[in-house]
Amino acid sequence: MKVELKRVNDAVHFEASGMTDVKVSIDGSPEIGGQGLGARPMELVLMALGSCSSLDLLSILKKQRQDIQDVNVSINGERADKIPAVFTKIHMNFDLIGNIDEAKAEKAAELAVKKYCSVHDMLAAGGVDITYSVNVKAVQEAAK
């Protein structure tokens, strides 16, 4: 696997691309010259964890023939107060909307996060405490 970063301006704004050639804007904090032109690197780590887990979760639920209408994931990370300010705790909340069996959703989330997500395993190996929760709403309930 290979990614490339290209500096876009005279500050710290970069454009990254990988195997798909999709461009991702990355920028630093204002303290180091960032201008809010892209995601910060540690935000990308949380996005990687959330997307890795979500892709696997959806795949498992689809194989179980669950009727998934929508998925939203919120991820909160706590960082150390010293440099390097690594993540110490991360919590993911999966909101699933559709006609989904709650027990299947819970089991699928456990497998997706703890067994199949490589990003989870890397962070956990580094000592990050990663937790998750799953909320299932029926389509009618979500419309309210």
Side-chain angles (χ1 to χ4, degrees):
M1 179 180 295
K2 178 181 175 183
V3 299
E4 294 186 8
L5 281 83
K6 178 181 176 187
R7 190 172 175 199
V8 176
N9 64 13
D10 290 338
V12 293
H13 179 204
F14 286 82
E15 183 177 84
S17 61
M19 299 181 315
T20 62
D21 269 345
V22 172
K23 307 294 186 221
V24 176
S25 288
I26 303 168
D27 204 353
S29 67
E31 295 79 27
I32 64 168
Q35 301 169 321
L37 300 174
R40 294 185 188 175
M42 293 302 277
E43 290 174 324
L44 291 168
V45 172
L46 293 180
M47 290 178 196
L49 175 63
S51 59
C52 179
S53 299
S54 297
L55 295 174
D56 291 328
L57 176 61
L58 282 171
S59 176
I60 294 165
L61 289 173
K62 285 181 181 181
K63 286 178 185 174
Q64 295 176 342
R65 291 181 160 68
Q66 297 299 297
D67 178 28
I68 308 153
Q69 298 296 315
D70 203 358
V71 177
N72 294 296
V73 185
S74 61
I75 305 144
N76 292 305
E78 294 179 24
R79 296 174 68 180
D81 290 332
K82 60 183 178 172
I83 294 176
V86 298
F87 286 113
T88 56
K89 293 181 182 180
I90 298 173
H91 181 77
M92 294 185 288
N93 183 63
F94 298 95
D95 285 323
L96 306 174
I97 299 171
N99 298 312
I100 303 165
D101 180 285
E102 287 188 38
K104 287 184 178 183
E106 287 287 344
K107 182 63 177 172
E110 180 180 351
L111 289 170
V113 174
K114 295 184 177 180
K115 183 174 182 180
Y116 296 117
C117 179
S118 304
V119 178
H120 168 276
D121 287 358
M122 284 192 311
L123 292 169
V128 182
D129 178 25
I130 302 171
T131 58
Y132 65 92
S133 56
V134 179
N135 299 306
V136 177
K137 294 181 183 174
V139 176
Q140 308 86 330
E141 191 180 327
K144 293 179 185 177

